[in-house]
Amino acid sequence: MTLFPIRRFALALLLGSIVSATSAWGKPVKLAILLPLSNVNKYSGNQAKQGFEMGVQQEVAELGVDWAAWVKFEYFDTRSDKAHALELAKSAIAQNARAVLGLHSSAVTLHVRDYVLDTAKVPYVVFAGGVSSKIRRKHPLFIRVSNDAKMVMLPLASWLKAHPIVSSA
């Protein structure tokens, strides 16, 4: 199964930034993935987890690399609860998660977003979750990836260019 072009681009950009980061730190980068793995949205959360893992495996197999040397994915069950999701994000970031990814409802996304972006200042990638127009906040570290989002990666690409993790000289 081939990933949609925007998903492939998002994954390539994400893994590319991880490669740069690991060459500077010499150890895998931790990414927190918040999903509703129980409660009302557990089917969507578990499907997202399975699809994400399959997509990463497919991409790294085609590249012929050992992704575990680059990145460590940690999954957290939000239980579709916005307060619980925020506490999970805070805990993961306190334990050195370099980005927060997830599939959320609009309520969870809005509750977690400002802390992750403005307080912790780490990238926040939301995969097609939430439909509220309030989610469409412009921020260089906020990415909302969905099949209909054609330009979602430009803010992060611009930020990465302006803030290289590893010197290009």
Side-chain angles (χ1 to χ4, degrees):
M1 176 170 94
T2 303
L3 295 174
F4 291 103
I6 191 70
R7 290 184 183 160
R8 180 166 280 202
F9 180 69
L11 184 59
L13 185 59
L14 182 62
L15 289 177
S17 64
I18 291 166
V19 171
S20 297
T22 55
S23 64
W25 295 325
K27 59 183 179 179
V29 174
K30 184 192 302 186
L31 300 180
I33 304 177
L34 307 179
L35 298 169
L37 301 172
S38 64
N39 214 338
V40 69
N41 294 316
K42 68 182 176 185
Y43 179 78
S44 296
N46 285 297
Q47 290 294 312
K49 179 181 178 183
Q50 182 181 11
F52 180 77
E53 290 174 344
M54 287 173 56
V56 169
Q57 288 173 0
Q58 177 182 341
E59 291 300 310
V60 297
E62 289 177 14
L63 295 172
V65 295
D66 176 19
W67 65 268
W70 295 356
V71 64
K72 179 180 179 185
F73 298 110
E74 289 194 12
Y75 294 93
F76 299 90
D77 180 12
T78 65
R79 302 186 311 231
S80 300
D81 179 274
K82 63 184 186 180
H84 184 64
L86 178 58
E87 290 307 312
L88 291 172
K90 287 179 178 180
S91 175
I93 292 167
Q95 296 173 25
N96 295 320
R98 298 294 181 205
V100 176
L101 294 77
L103 174 71
H104 312 300
S105 67
S106 296
V108 171
T109 299
L110 290 169
H111 198 70
V112 171
R113 182 191 65 190
D114 293 337
Y115 172 79
V116 172
L117 297 175
D118 299 329
T119 304
K121 297 181 180 6
V122 300
Y124 185 36
V125 182
V126 177
F127 296 99
V131 295
S132 171
S133 62
K134 293 178 183 178
I135 293 173
R136 296 184 198 130
R137 175 180 174 205
K138 291 183 180 180
H139 192 286
L141 299 176
F142 181 62
I143 302 165
R144 182 170 174 251
V145 180
S146 68
N147 295 336
D148 62 341
K150 295 177 175 51
M151 303 296 235
V152 293
M153 298 306 291
L154 291 178
L156 181 60
S158 297
W159 184 86
L160 285 172
K161 184 177 178 185
H163 302 89
I165 297 172
V166 177
S167 173
S168 59

